[in-house]
Amino acid sequence: MKVSTVCSASVTVSLSLSGGSGGGGGGPLPFRSPSVSFLRTSKSSLSIACSLAGNDASSSSPAKLLRRILDSPGVHQGPACFDALSAKLVQTAGFQFCFTSGFSISASRLALPDTGLISYGEILDQGRLITQAVSIPVIGDADNGYGNAMNLKRTLKGYIGAGFAGIILEDQVAPKACGHTRGRRVVSREEAVMKIKAAVDARRESGCDIVIVARTDARQAVSLDEALVRSRAFADAGADVLFIDALASREEMKAFCEVSPLVPKMANMLEGGGKTPILNPMELEEIGFKIVAYPLSLIGVSIRAMQDSLIAIKGGRIPPPGSMPSFEEIKDILGFNAYYEEEKRYAANASPQLSKGDTSRNPFSGIWSRTLRVKLTGRDGFEKLDLRIPAGFLDGITNIVPALGGVNIKELLDDAAEEVGGKLLLDFEDRMGDRIQIFLE
């Protein structure tokens, strides 16, 4: 029996099971409770996870939420975002999780191709903004870990600190190449496996449970057989999800899903002409996939929409109403209305009401800090008077006589008192034809 700690609030107990016909079949065992769960991780092992604190925050951490998705029935779709706004739109659309796309981040942040030009620091900074913008789990694209096994350990710990629920690590050499493009080369199988082991060690050292997605590009760089062998080795090394990029047929996809059947598989539906057949979620589930990435949809439609808008503007027009949200819709998407509602909770009264016994009022605060400007312009256009007096004088008068000549000066003054900047209170002509204007400054 082996006992190991997983994060700060749980314990995993692994039991070796004796061989026999009773150990057949994988997946969760029937027993579950809020504090203890049993999960068969292989034909000869059983994992028992025990929660030590019923309301511990780690139970709702991004990694925990992602693991619940992986444990739930069916196939799950995850569009790839590239910034905080696109991630928020994914969440608003009702998806349970999303990916980050190194291709799209390199495009949007640098306007450069995904050929290893973007750095670990730039990707991590963008990722932190993305995870802070949403509450759904985010799986982060980490290329090849940005170096050797030691670099990869730092990368994984950085992704944990940035709030990622999962991390995708590939076995390409540096500089890496985008999937489905030419020029891909992979490190040796031994080095690739050792890097996954380093990621597992870094996760344990961090006391967290980030989901490790092990990707191989060996299908295009070497062969399908080599990709399948590497995937099996990654599973044995402790990877949580397996991913072979650029599988070229349904048959290859089926062969992949037969490798280490207890470990979830990821499919990559590269839109617009990749090497992998585009299948619908039901077809992917039937083959055996658990999660599906859509890496280019959001960046692709954004590029085309911006190009169309620029063509319209260059032609002296603006984009037609149907091609973009209204200003009100944009404000709502970005949270203006929610901001205004929350802002009311912290609004301070510009003229606070003091208790009767409070004699500490500053005589130069509130309306006494404002100025009334009285401007008189003759009907000939020449200025006859431009006078400034403390607004408090008028306030005192209007408390006695609130209305003069049918104009409720008291109400005008009260409404304007809380406004920042100047405001025109009155603007009229007297019997002589002179124009009288009163401003609150």
Side-chain angles (χ1 to χ4, degrees):
M1 180 176 73
K2 179 183 178 183
V3 180
S4 59
T5 301
V6 182
C7 289
S8 59
S10 63
V11 171
T12 296
V13 183
S14 299
L15 303 175
S16 295
L17 304 177
S18 58
S21 60
L29 295 180
F31 180 84
R32 284 193 180 274
S33 79
S35 57
V36 181
S37 62
F38 292 76
L39 181 67
R40 189 182 301 283
T41 56
S42 70
K43 290 184 178 180
S44 61
S45 67
L46 179 68
S47 175
I48 307 173
C50 308
S51 174
L52 299 181
N55 296 320
D56 190 85
S58 64
S59 64
S60 59
S61 68
K64 296 292 184 186
L65 293 174
L66 180 58
R67 289 185 181 277
R68 290 176 195 166
I69 294 170
L70 293 172
D71 287 340
S72 62
V75 67
H76 304 283
Q77 300 168 282
C81 64
F82 51 89
D83 61 9
L85 176 58
S86 57
K88 188 172 183 179
L89 291 173
V90 171
Q91 176 174 289
T92 303
F95 290 93
Q96 291 182 289
F97 73 104
C98 68
F99 294 88
T100 64
S101 163
F103 181 103
S104 301
I105 291 176
S106 182
S108 63
R109 187 175 174 110
L110 305 180
L112 291 174
D114 183 24
T115 52
L117 297 174
I118 195 165
S119 69
Y120 162 69
E122 291 167 316
I123 285 285
L124 190 67
D125 178 62
Q126 194 81 343
R128 186 177 292 109
L129 296 175
I130 288 169
T131 61
Q132 289 175 351
V134 296
S135 58
I136 59 174
V138 182
I139 301 175
D141 184 354
D143 291 345
N144 58 6
Y146 304 98
N148 62 16
M150 297 304 293
N151 293 104
L152 185 147
K153 290 184 72 173
R154 176 175 181 253
T155 296
L156 185 136
K157 293 177 181 179
Y159 272 50
I160 291 173
F164 282 105
I167 183 171
I168 302 175
L169 297 166
E170 59 196 53
D171 58 357
Q172 289 196 52
V173 301
K176 58 92 63 182
C178 169
H180 299 252
T181 60
R182 66 183 185 180
R184 279 186 292 174
R185 295 179 296 127
V186 292
V187 299
S188 70
R189 186 192 306 169
E190 180 182 12
E191 181 179 349
V193 172
M194 293 308 297
K195 290 179 76 171
I196 295 301
K197 289 183 177 180
V200 173
D201 288 343
R203 176 174 63 188
R204 185 188 65 252
E205 293 164 7
S206 299
C208 196
D209 204 20
I210 189 171
V211 173
I212 297 173
V213 181
R215 162 181 162 171
T216 178
D217 288 75
R219 168 63 188 90
Q220 297 298 315
V222 184
S223 66
L224 174 63
D225 288 341
E226 176 63 20
L228 296 175
V229 170
R230 289 189 181 215
S231 294
R232 189 176 295 109
F234 292 161
D236 293 340
D240 300 295
V241 178
L242 302 178
F243 171 28
I244 298 178
D245 196 33
L247 291 168
S249 67
R250 286 175 179 259
E251 290 68 31
E252 291 187 2
M253 297 166 79
K254 290 178 181 178
F256 169 46
C257 288
E258 291 171 358
V259 172
S260 302
L262 296 177
V263 181
K265 308 300 188 302
M266 171 179 159
N268 189 31
M269 297 289 96
L270 186 72
E271 312 90 322
K275 298 181 181 299
T276 303
I278 301 297
L279 306 180
N280 64 47
M282 292 181 62
E283 293 173 311
L284 292 169
E285 181 181 1
E286 183 178 349
I287 291 173
F289 288 98
K290 175 55 65 175
I291 56 174
V292 189
Y294 299 86
L296 297 184
S297 292
L298 297 188
I299 190 69
V301 298
S302 298
I303 291 172
R304 178 52 53 85
M306 287 189 284
Q307 288 176 328
D308 291 344
S309 297
L310 292 170
I311 290 172
I313 293 171
K314 192 172 183 179
R317 298 172 287 111
I318 62 172
S323 68
M324 61 179 291
S326 68
F327 182 51
E328 288 301 319
E329 289 173 321
I330 293 175
K331 289 194 298 180
D332 190 53
I333 290 169
L334 296 178
F336 275 86
N337 294 329
Y339 174 89
Y340 294 145
E341 285 301 312
E342 185 176 5
E343 184 184 35
K344 293 177 182 178
R345 294 170 52 191
Y346 310 105
N349 192 339
S351 301
Q353 297 295 322
L354 303 175
S355 62
K356 294 182 179 179
D358 189 347
T359 58
S360 61
R361 175 171 178 175
N362 183 348
F364 298 103
S365 64
I367 198 66
W368 284 91
S369 66
R370 311 292 290 275
T371 301
L372 278 177
R373 180 184 180 187
V374 181
K375 187 175 180 181
L376 179 62
T377 305
R379 57 184 177 181
D380 55 3
F382 290 97
E383 183 178 286
K384 294 184 175 181
L385 178 68
D386 192 348
L387 175 67
R388 287 175 172 83
I389 60 173
F393 287 129
L394 184 57
D395 182 50
I397 296 173
T398 57
N399 282 331
I400 302 172
V401 185
L404 294 174
V407 178
N408 194 328
I409 303 175
K410 172 66 175 175
E411 183 177 338
L412 290 175
L413 198 60
D414 288 343
D415 290 343
E418 296 183 4
E419 294 192 17
V420 178
K423 180 175 181 179
L424 178 63
L425 297 180
L426 294 173
D427 188 350
F428 62 94
E429 290 186 0
D430 64 10
R431 294 179 180 178
M432 302 296 295
D434 294 336
R435 184 182 184 186
I436 299 175
Q437 295 172 291
I438 300 178
F439 302 86
L440 180 66
E441 297 180 337

